[in-house]
Amino acid sequence: STRVRSSAASDVYKRQLLLSLACMFLLNIIFPGKIYGGTAQACYLPLQLLAGINLYGRLRPGFWAAVLTAMGILALHPFQALSSMPQALQLSLLLLHGLFFFIILLEVFMQLYRAQTHRLHLDARQTLCAGLSGLLLIGYSGFFLFLLLESFQPGSFRGPDPGGVSLQDLFYFSYISLMTIGYGDIYPLSLIHI
């Protein structure tokens, strides 16, 4: 009975995470350039952070890492409204975002691994939610990694526009690379291409 309740709660948490990640993914596609900062980010960011933290379901070591990075993100988020946010704060915020998504990605994979090794029964819906969440999280982790690289070393990527790459270009590049399609319209120029 306790295992059934725990499994049901885990299923809900996986669905919440998948829904928040899918919404962010679709918003990036439908409204490029309009979801970072401002009202849109103020709405989805707390929900996404909460969905990621809820995935843990109970206190484990990774839970505290997720909570602390989420608190750091929420603490730095208001500074984005400043017209001249110091670069150190911008990089800290990017690093915290990337770290948060990586921590949640590890938890998704650990839950799948524990289910497999302990021979827990996962229904197809739970497996699909976890798998799609993992795929989206890998893409987000890549996006933040590329964004950090571009922030530390501007001009690390060449895009279709002569003025450099935008957030949307790096988001697109992350998922195109993940899917191993690689059209060649955006490509790295720095040591990352080696």
Side-chain angles (χ1 to χ4, degrees), residues 87-106:
Q87 185 168 0
L89 283 180
Q90 288 176 354
L91 292 176
S92 297
L93 190 58
L94 284 175
L95 189 59
L96 285 171
H97 273 281
L99 183 61
F100 180 79
F101 281 115
F102 185 72
I103 289 168
I104 300 305
L105 173 65
L106 287 177

Side-chain angles (χ1 to χ4, degrees), residues 158-165 169 185-186:
R158 169 91 22 100
D161 298 325
V165 292
D169 290 336
D185 50 348
I186 300 172

Side-chain angles (χ1 to χ4, degrees), residues 48-61:
Q48 200 165 37
L49 295 175
L50 186 60
I53 290 169
N54 276 343
L55 183 66
Y56 282 87
R58 62 179 190 270
L59 302 180
R60 286 197 299 275

Side-chain angles (χ1 to χ4, degrees), residues 151-169:
S151 296
F152 278 116
Q153 188 178 0
S156 295
F157 295 90
R158 169 91 22 100
D161 298 325
V165 292
S166 66
L167 289 173
Q168 295 74 32
D169 290 336

